[in-house]
Amino acid sequence: MRRTLILGSTSPYRRELLGRLKLDFDVMAPQVDETPRPGEAPAALARRLALAKAHAVAAQRPHAVVIGSDQVADLAGEPLGKPGTHERATEQLRRMRGHSVVFQTAVAVVCRETGFEQVDLAPVRVDFRSLGDDEIETYLRAEQPYDCAGSARSEGLGIALLDAIHSDDPSALVGLPLIRTCRMLRAAGLQVP
């Protein structure tokens, strides 16, 4: 039986990334509370939310193979989510300047009917330059990355904020680690080129 593939995400970045694999897939919005639990480490939060998103969609489409993903910026153990506003983005970038931040990107693949479930983490260490307040303001006005964990969109102008990116799965920083995703989709029984 050929199974439907569903991306359990409203992120246009994840949709674009998954589209690179030339697979047919549907998109469904998972209904998941993304509030961190008290004392929850950023990596654990990303893994929990990726799995929760996959399960939320799989509960509605048990025959499908469902991908869930989440990303949390980790500044010295403190989770930084999507800023949502210009003021919070400014604060995040001021705190991250001159530091290394680990973007914890988790992906989960679930098929309720077969009982398949895998989750993996693709950490990406990003070294931020020592940014001036004027650079931060110019970047935020131009890019408006208020829907991105850590306020930095590396696939756009945000790359100019960085000194280095360290990763074994380059698409993880954008929001979906495709190397791990391909591995998990194959394990779930899908053919990936």
Side-chain angles (χ1 to χ4, degrees):
M1 172 184 181
R2 186 167 173 207
R3 299 199 178 275
T4 302
L5 177 62
I6 300 175
L7 175 62
S9 175
T10 57
S11 166
Y13 313 110
R14 289 190 182 104
R15 183 182 301 183
E16 185 274 326
L17 285 169
L18 188 57
R20 293 180 189 180
L21 300 181
K22 306 295 185 207
L23 298 170
D24 291 329
F25 66 95
D26 295 328
V27 176
M28 287 181 67
Q31 301 303 314
V32 172
D33 179 3
E34 298 188 25
T35 306
R37 294 176 178 157
E40 189 171 28
L45 174 60
R47 289 174 66 94
R48 178 176 62 81
L49 292 178
L51 199 53
K53 290 174 182 181
H55 277 293
V57 172
Q60 297 175 57
R61 301 280 297 276
H63 304 297
V65 173
V66 180
I67 299 169
S69 186
D70 196 77
Q71 183 178 74
V72 179
D74 180 345
L75 178 61
E78 180 188 345
L80 301 177
K82 299 171 187 165
T85 67
H86 184 86
E87 293 72 32
R88 284 199 292 253
T90 300
E91 177 189 344
Q92 283 185 353
L93 289 172
R94 284 178 177 163
R95 292 183 62 213
M96 294 186 302
R97 63 183 163 195
H99 294 283
S100 291
V101 177
V102 178
F103 286 79
Q104 304 284 4
T105 307
V107 61
V109 174
V110 169
C111 180
R112 193 169 200 165
E113 185 177 76
T114 65
F116 183 85
E117 175 182 308
Q118 284 188 3
V119 62
D120 202 357
L121 191 68
V124 179
R125 194 182 89 226
V126 176
D127 301 332
F128 280 81
R129 293 179 29 252
S130 293
L131 304 166
D133 286 348
D134 57 330
E135 290 176 291
I136 291 171
E137 184 65 20
T138 299
Y139 166 70
L140 291 176
R141 293 286 176 207
E143 196 89 339
Q144 300 181 7
Y146 310 131
D147 63 342
C148 296
S151 307
R153 193 177 289 147
S154 67
E155 65 275 24
L157 181 59
I159 199 74
L161 307 177
L162 311 179
D163 270 335
I165 298 172
H166 310 273
S167 175
D168 67 354
D169 203 334
S171 59
L173 187 55
V174 182
L176 184 65
L178 289 179
I179 293 170
R180 285 165 175 80
T181 301
C182 287
R183 186 181 311 134
M184 295 163 103
L185 292 176
R186 287 185 195 104
L190 295 182
Q191 288 192 334
V192 181

